[in-house]
Amino acid sequence: MSVENLLSEGIKATPPSFVRAILKAASDPGVISFAGGLPNPVSFPQEELLASMERVVQTYGSNVFQYSVTAGLPELRQYIADRYNRSFGLDLSLDNIIITTGSQQALDLIGKVLLDKGDGIIVERPTYLAAIQAFSMRQPVFYPVELTEEGMDPEKLAEALRNPVKFVYAIPDYQNPTGLTYSAGNRERIYEILKDRGVVLIEDDPYGELRFDGERLPYIGAGKLPDSILLGTFSKTVTPGMRIGFIISKNRELIKHLSVAKEASDLHTNIFAQYLIWDYLKNNDLDTHIAKIKALYRKQARAMMDAMKKYFPPTVKYTKPHGGMFLWVTLPESVSAMSLFPKALEKKVAFVPGDPFYADVKNVNTMRLNYTNADCETIEEGIRRLGDCIRQLL
């Protein structure tokens, strides 16, 4: 029996993850993959986490195996509040924070709480493909706003806000997929546009800790816009497999409704993983650990940019990220990255074509490359193969 007639309109409107399909295709050990958003396994603090595992079981006993509160382990939420208060002066308490099963669950919960079918949302163009996927379940109307090298185009944002819109979703630091970072001036202009609009701003910040050089820039809305939501995660700084993300908001009403949605979704995030992360953070210097990750990723990013300068045709353009995990390649306008992908896979190299990062166009001439999950020699060889494929296609 076909299940087509049984399916909800929401699931029919939701695209499958193109990256998941690529990762399956790229699982051949001979394939050099720039496709996933995978942290380098070298960066996982395995010995320290093993010590934390033993310590939390010995110290907290059955508590680490029992049901727990929906909002998350109070000690972990307090740690997050303290860290953000020190770094950004946000004046948070643990009641402003919900622990989620990765940032992906946070996106899903936001969609459940804020969106009805046909509601408008503003996203970057291009934007994070899994955010498109999560929001598509609620069948919204997407209003993509072009990204410039400074960030979301303020004039285009103001134009998009003429439509009925529930929220704006942005990734201001080392944006996925482009690797771009919003400038200080751009952040201020966006704040001025949004401050009297009554629209929720969602700032997704999985990569902000991974700045290679210089100081962190302030958030656009967190601490300033009363209805802003800030998303964070330990996936890029400690370990992705634990699936520990978090929602921060000063709006207690929003936090209350998000908590109800989480109750309905999974009761609470894995409590053993929460205890484990908290114990690790309590007994180790996270900033020292992050400094090692940044040094590694800086080296890998430069290796990829050097290889592209060497092997890519001069008509191919690419972003030069100062942090995070990705860069964005723009091919000549006549070339579809989707048509390049199977040719590259034949040469045992994989990337993500740009198509799934757009809510409104197909067969684009852009692609995302991840530089964090391969050593420098592998990166150079993969870029050499990719450069050959591009030249053949041109």
Side-chain angles (χ1 to χ4, degrees), residues 2-274:
S2 171
V3 299
E4 185 68 23
N5 292 334
L6 304 177
L7 296 177
S8 71
E9 293 301 316
I11 196 65
K12 289 178 185 176
T14 304
S17 172
F18 195 84
V19 171
R20 293 286 150 189
I22 287 175
L23 291 178
K24 187 175 181 182
S27 60
D28 177 345
V31 172
I32 297 173
S33 179
F34 302 133
L38 304 179
N40 196 313
V42 173
S43 71
F44 303 157
Q46 295 183 50
E47 290 183 14
E48 293 86 350
L49 288 170
L50 179 58
S52 286
M53 285 183 198
E54 295 177 350
R55 195 158 44 233
V56 296
V57 173
Q58 290 170 357
T59 306
Y60 302 102
S62 61
N63 287 345
V64 304
F65 304 113
Q66 186 55 279
Y67 285 119
S68 190
V69 295
T70 297
L73 184 68
E75 294 89 343
L76 179 57
R77 287 153 57 211
Q78 188 62 57
Y79 173 92
I80 294 166
D82 292 343
R83 185 172 178 85
Y84 277 76
N85 290 343
R86 283 195 309 272
S87 299
F88 298 101
L90 295 187
D91 189 29
L92 301 170
S93 75
L94 60 85
D95 293 327
N96 299 119
I97 295 164
I98 299 174
I99 304 298
T100 58
T101 304
S103 293
Q104 190 63 28
Q105 185 186 47
L107 298 173
D108 179 61
L109 296 178
I110 288 165
K112 286 176 177 175
V113 168
L114 295 180
L115 293 179
D116 289 315
K117 182 177 179 180
D119 283 342
I121 60 176
I122 291 173
V123 297
E124 299 154 323
R125 187 176 189 271
T127 191
Y128 178 42
L129 56 82
I132 294 176
Q133 188 180 39
F135 300 146
S136 290
M137 284 290 292
R138 318 312 300 176
Q139 301 178 75
V141 177
F142 289 95
Y143 296 105
V145 172
E146 205 70 38
L147 271 183
T148 72
E149 290 190 1
E150 298 292 309
M152 194 182 279
D153 186 314
E155 291 183 7
K156 299 288 187 185
L157 173 61
E159 191 176 306
L161 284 165
R162 293 174 189 160
N163 300 289
V165 166
K166 283 284 186 75
F167 63 74
V168 177
Y169 172 75
I171 312 166
D173 290 290
Y174 320 114
Q175 197 255 6
N176 183 355
T178 64
L180 293 169
T181 295
Y182 289 30
S183 69
N186 178 271
R187 291 170 196 242
E188 186 59 34
R189 284 192 290 276
I190 291 174
Y191 165 75
E192 291 294 331
I193 290 169
L194 293 178
K195 67 180 182 181
D196 298 317
R197 296 277 183 166
V199 172
V200 175
L201 172 64
I202 301 160
E203 293 180 89
D204 197 354
D205 186 33
Y207 313 106
E209 299 265 25
L210 303 179
R211 185 179 184 91
F212 300 155
D213 306 292
E215 296 296 317
R216 290 286 306 271
L217 292 171
Y219 291 114
I220 298 167
K224 293 185 288 185
L225 295 175
D227 296 331
S228 69
I229 296 174
L230 177 60
L231 306 183
T233 181
F234 292 108
S235 290
K236 309 303 185 290
T237 53
V238 184
T239 163
M242 297 293 178
R243 309 306 300 126
I244 302 296
F246 46 92
I247 297 170
I248 298 174
S249 182
K250 294 283 283 185
N251 188 317
R252 296 291 180 91
E253 194 73 12
L254 269 176
I255 286 288
K256 181 183 80 173
H257 291 298
L258 289 164
S259 186
V260 170
K262 183 164 173 62
E263 283 176 15
S265 293
D266 67 354
L267 299 183
H268 63 79
T269 296
N270 183 317
I271 192 61
F272 183 84
Q274 292 187 61

Side-chain angles (χ1 to χ4, degrees), residues 266-296:
D266 67 354
L267 299 183
H268 63 79
T269 296
N270 183 317
I271 192 61
F272 183 84
Q274 292 187 61
Y275 268 106
L276 181 55
I277 291 281
W278 174 61
D279 185 89
Y280 167 79
L281 295 168
K282 185 174 62 165
N283 290 286
N284 297 275
D285 186 338
L286 181 61
D287 291 323
T288 299
H289 176 65
I290 290 173
K292 294 176 184 176
I293 298 174
K294 291 194 292 186
L296 174 65

